[in-house]
Amino acid sequence: MTRAIGRRASPAVCTADCIADSAGGITFDITDADRPGATLVLRRRADGPRGTGEQEVRLPLTGPATAVGAARTRLRAVLPSTVELAEGHWDIFAGASGDQPVRPGIRDVRALIDRVPGAGPVVARVPYPTADGRLALRAWLRAPHAEAGTVRCEPAGMSVEGVLYGTELGEHARAEARLRGGDRTHRVAVTGRGGVFAFTLPYGPLAEGPGGPGEAGGPGEERRRWDLWLLPAPDAAGVRISRILDDIWDKRAIHVYPAHGVSSAHGTDGWLAAPGYTHDNDFCVRLDPARPPAPVPAPAPTG
């Protein structure tokens, strides 16, 4: 085989099977990793959603874990739940220099479904395949954390139930919708005790114009996003309401809720409102300008 002079050969691709545990640890079994000195490297993307900390984590690859064939072995690396990862997306590489691409094999993430975190910060990590076929890891680190549960959608609004970790509800707890890119907020009362919370959020106030009740929004305006926060007490910092305690790394196309037109009884016609999740699995309410129905073409004259 010949190689073009002056061009560096692309590193060989290896494959990783992953097993996730309920505490946040992940075991990687790697096939065809470069040896000797093989290392599993996790690199955090520069566009991480929040948080600071290490941008690269190196894990030793040991083994062989099992023999795959005469010339192929599987090496193993373990990411313990006690190793802190900043929030964001972590791309995964192997090899002594940490530049060998890793593609996903079998991903056993059953232990992540409906899990209940222990004491301390809530750690959630989900291995997933990227759009270009490589292996990555989505990591969350929340303290405290408000986990969204059942969502019931009605024409006038939605009701949300959830569990709060890391703190408890106090008197006069509130849920707050914050307009993304603006300075408007809307609060509603929260019911519950301890770590269980529930609230109902009407769509009408979210669809009103900047001037308040009676000022309509809708056609000609841009899409609105209202991010949802839980205020455990009047003087407490807001806790982002999210859904991260399962095996779904991006819920936008998975948890799809019905959209309802905002009733003209609120004085705000022309919006379609629906709850949903962001690319970070944070809970929000989306308002899209309602589109008028397309005109029905007149029947062609006959005769």
Side-chain angles (χ1 to χ4, degrees):
M1 183 178 72
T2 60
R3 180 178 298 172
I5 298 176
R7 294 182 61 186
R8 182 181 178 185
S10 299
V13 176
C14 58
T15 302
D17 294 338
C18 305
I19 301 176
D21 64 46
S22 60
I26 303 198
T27 299
F28 301 89
D29 286 333
I30 313 293
T31 303
D32 293 337
D34 289 340
R35 301 184 72 180
T39 303
L40 193 70
V41 180
L42 284 67
R43 291 196 184 102
R44 184 171 179 260
R45 295 178 199 165
D47 59 350
R50 55 167 70 93
T52 58
E54 294 292 334
Q55 303 302 304
E56 182 174 285
V57 173
R58 289 179 170 261
L59 304 172
L61 278 165
T62 60
T66 57
V68 180
R72 303 176 66 195
T73 59
R74 301 180 72 188
L75 305 179
R76 172 167 288 182
V78 177
L79 174 67
S81 60
T82 53
V83 172
E84 183 172 303
L85 294 183
E87 283 221 11
H89 295 263
W90 294 75
D91 293 310
I92 298 176
F93 300 89
S97 60
D99 64 352
Q100 186 178 9
V102 178
R103 62 189 175 194
I106 297 172
R107 292 177 297 115
D108 186 349
V109 292
R110 292 172 293 178
L112 302 180
I113 300 173
D114 296 329
R115 73 185 188 92
V116 178
V122 173
V123 174
R125 298 164 181 172
V126 183
Y128 71 94
T130 64
D132 60 357
R134 300 193 183 193
L135 180 65
L137 184 70
R138 180 62 172 94
W140 291 269
L141 181 64
R142 301 283 174 95
H145 167 61
E147 177 79 358
T150 301
V151 178
R152 296 182 176 86
C153 300
E154 302 292 341
M158 66 174 184
S159 297
V160 180
E161 299 174 359
V163 180
L164 179 62
Y165 298 97
T167 188
E168 292 189 347
L169 293 178
E171 293 186 8
H172 309 297
R174 295 288 185 270
E176 182 174 80
R178 301 177 182 177
L179 180 62
R180 191 180 305 178
D183 57 359
R184 297 170 56 196
T185 62
H186 178 69
R187 292 184 178 182
V188 294
V190 169
T191 60
R193 295 184 62 185
V196 178
F197 66 88
F199 63 89
T200 297
L201 179 67
Y203 295 141
L206 308 185
E208 291 167 354
E215 182 175 333
E221 292 195 32
E222 297 181 354
R223 170 181 293 176
R224 296 180 185 177
R225 291 290 184 275
W226 292 83
D227 296 318
L228 299 182
W229 298 73
L230 185 67
L231 307 179
D235 58 347
V239 180
R240 191 71 169 89
I241 301 174
S242 311
R243 188 164 182 171
I244 60 176
L245 296 177
D246 57 26
D247 61 338
I248 303 173
W249 68 93
D250 186 344
K251 293 180 171 58
R252 288 176 293 179
I254 305 299
H255 288 268
V256 179
Y257 299 100
H260 292 282
V262 178
S263 170
S264 59
H266 295 99
T268 53
D269 226 354
W271 290 102
L272 287 175
Y277 291 93
T278 71
H279 67 285
D280 293 321
N281 285 356
D282 294 329
F283 198 47
C284 68
V285 177
R286 183 185 71 245
L287 268 72
D288 292 310
R291 299 287 183 255
V296 178
T302 58

